[in-house]
Amino acid sequence: KLDKYEENFEAFIGSIFHDVLEKCFNNDLDVSLEINNYIQEKGKILDVKEQFYLNKITNDIKEVINILKEQQNNINLDQALYEKEIIIDKSRDIKVEFKGIIDKLLYKVDSDKTVVAIIDYKTGNVDISLKYAKYGLSLQLPIYLYLVSKSKLFNNPSFAGFYLQYILDKDILRDNNKTYLEQYQDKLKLNGYSNSNVHILSEFDKTYSYSNLIKGLRVKNDGEFTKNSKVLNEEEVNNLINLTENIIDDDITKILDGDFSINPKQIGYKDKVGCMYCKFYDLCFHTEKDYVILEDTETVLGGEEDA
């Protein structure tokens, strides 16, 4: 009698955002009409509270679209794919496929390579730290890297960066040093990892030295990136792709072997991330000795400490 998945209203709102933003660079897009069409298509009946909230976020979506179009002025990549499904064949004795859907791929075809930037929209906060990637945590962006690199979508892809974009964040608090619009623009900056090769990065972000597009990205007077800039060199990106593939292959092997060992993860001695959102916690036969303790000092790429 396990629960089947049922989409809650928060998830439905996220789906609306994704649907509209997939089409937002169509100049003739009527946001309100698109939202109403989406609701009718899904057969969703909203109560009074949900309708009130939907009216509020309709205005939020319009603001987000305006800022996304402004951000486009800082981007050199001239082509895009939206909601792109990529399937990698991982078949063994039986057919196995690994599939992902990427919200936005921006790219530019050069003579011998394709510069690519990966962007995933989020309506909530997600930890993007790669410190625990080798344990299989926070792998969504690395998985997108893996999917693009192993697909035949682009010729010789070179990644300018991979990012999350928080499109429905908490309410903006008052800041006397910035206008409301400036704070909103800050919240919509991309949050993720950029290529430390400025020739590749500049193909994506024209303003990379003091970025108006990527959160925390700055270049010092000596030409080096600041300590808080999340940058990876191409070797580290390739290491991350290989790490992700190894984790995927290992998990496929375990599934095919029927190995579903109870080994939830715990960061330090406080955050039990393996059980935090599990609705079957009370039914599980795990004990304290089953927890795998992850140390805070772990890094996976041999690069920056916060990578």
Side-chain angles (χ1 to χ4, degrees), residues 125-159:
N125 288 321
V126 178
D127 183 11
I128 64 166
S129 172
L130 300 177
K131 287 198 300 182
Y132 306 107
K134 77 174 188 179
Y135 299 108
L137 300 181
S138 302
L139 277 188
Q140 184 175 13
L141 288 175
I143 283 173
Y144 291 160
L145 271 178
Y146 162 77
L147 286 168
V148 175
S149 67
K150 299 301 179 181
S151 71
K152 297 180 180 178
L153 194 59
F154 303 116
N155 174 44
N156 190 22
S158 185
F159 296 100

Side-chain angles (χ1 to χ4, degrees), residues 131-137 264-269 271 273 291-298:
K131 287 198 300 182
Y132 306 107
K134 77 174 188 179
Y135 299 108
L137 300 181
K265 310 302 186 289
Q266 179 173 327
I267 297 176
Y269 290 92
D271 296 330
V273 294
Y291 282 99
V292 177
I293 308 298
L294 314 184
E295 298 298 332
D296 283 327
T297 55
E298 288 289 349

Side-chain angles (χ1 to χ4, degrees), residues 50-267:
E50 290 171 340
Q51 186 61 56
F52 173 84
Y53 187 68
L54 182 65
N55 292 338
K56 178 182 182 304
I57 68 110
T58 298
N59 293 326
D60 291 341
I61 293 176
K62 292 176 181 179
E63 286 193 73
V64 168
I65 290 174
N66 289 334
I67 294 175
L68 291 183
K69 289 183 176 180
E70 287 181 16
Q71 288 181 346
Q72 199 66 29
N73 295 326
N74 296 321
I75 295 174
N76 277 321
L77 305 183
D78 56 2
Q79 298 187 64
L81 294 171
Y82 301 99
E83 294 289 322
K84 180 61 182 177
E85 179 180 271
I86 299 177
I87 299 175
I88 306 297
D89 185 8
K90 306 291 288 184
S91 297
R92 302 187 185 177
D93 293 335
I94 64 172
K95 185 175 179 62
V96 179
E97 292 180 337
F98 190 84
K99 179 176 76 173
I101 300 175
I102 303 174
D103 289 337
K104 186 194 299 188
L105 288 168
L106 301 178
Y107 65 100
K108 183 177 183 179
V109 178
D110 212 333
S111 57
D112 61 341
K113 70 178 187 302
T114 306
V115 178
V116 183
I118 297 171
I119 298 172
D120 185 64
Y121 297 131
K122 285 297 175 191
T123 52
N125 288 321
V126 178
D127 183 11
I128 64 166
S129 172
L130 300 177
K131 287 198 300 182
Y132 306 107
K134 77 174 188 179
Y135 299 108
L137 300 181
S138 302
L139 277 188
Q140 184 175 13
L141 288 175
I143 283 173
Y144 291 160
L145 271 178
Y146 162 77
L147 286 168
V148 175
S149 67
K150 299 301 179 181
S151 71
K152 297 180 180 178
L153 194 59
F154 303 116
N155 174 44
N156 190 22
S158 185
F159 296 100
F162 48 101
Y163 311 95
L164 296 181
Q165 188 161 37
Y166 301 113
I167 53 176
L168 184 59
D169 211 334
K170 295 178 180 178
D171 291 336
I172 293 174
L173 302 178
R174 179 171 178 171
D175 184 342
N176 292 328
N177 297 318
K178 292 184 178 181
T179 66
Y180 174 84
L181 179 59
E182 289 172 335
Q183 291 181 77
Y184 211 132
Q185 290 170 334
D186 285 344
K187 283 185 172 291
L188 280 171
K189 285 184 176 180
L190 303 177
N191 193 10
Y193 294 84
S194 303
N195 197 317
S196 61
N197 184 328
V198 297
H199 299 293
I200 295 174
L201 180 57
S202 62
E203 287 292 319
F204 172 48
D205 183 5
K206 299 176 184 178
T207 67
Y208 74 90
S209 60
Y210 195 86
S211 184
N212 293 320
L213 182 64
I214 302 166
K215 186 176 181 179
L217 186 65
R218 300 286 184 273
V219 175
K220 297 183 290 186
N221 292 334
D222 62 3
E224 297 293 322
F225 286 99
T226 61
K227 182 179 179 181
N228 292 329
S229 297
K230 292 184 172 64
V231 292
L232 302 174
N233 61 42
E234 296 209 41
E235 181 182 1
E236 290 171 325
V237 171
N238 289 330
N239 288 343
L240 183 58
I241 292 170
N242 292 333
L243 171 71
T244 303
E245 182 171 36
N246 290 337
I247 291 172
I248 292 169
D249 288 343
D250 184 54
D251 284 344
I252 290 173
T253 298
K254 289 179 179 178
I255 292 171
L256 295 179
D257 290 345
D259 179 3
F260 299 99
S261 302
I262 297 173
N263 57 359
K265 310 302 186 289
Q266 179 173 327
I267 297 176

Side-chain angles (χ1 to χ4, degrees), residues 26-40:
N26 179 348
N27 292 327
D28 298 326
L29 180 69
D30 184 323
V31 173
S32 298
L33 179 61
E34 180 63 33
I35 290 175
N36 288 333
N37 288 342
Y38 184 85
I39 293 172
Q40 290 179 13

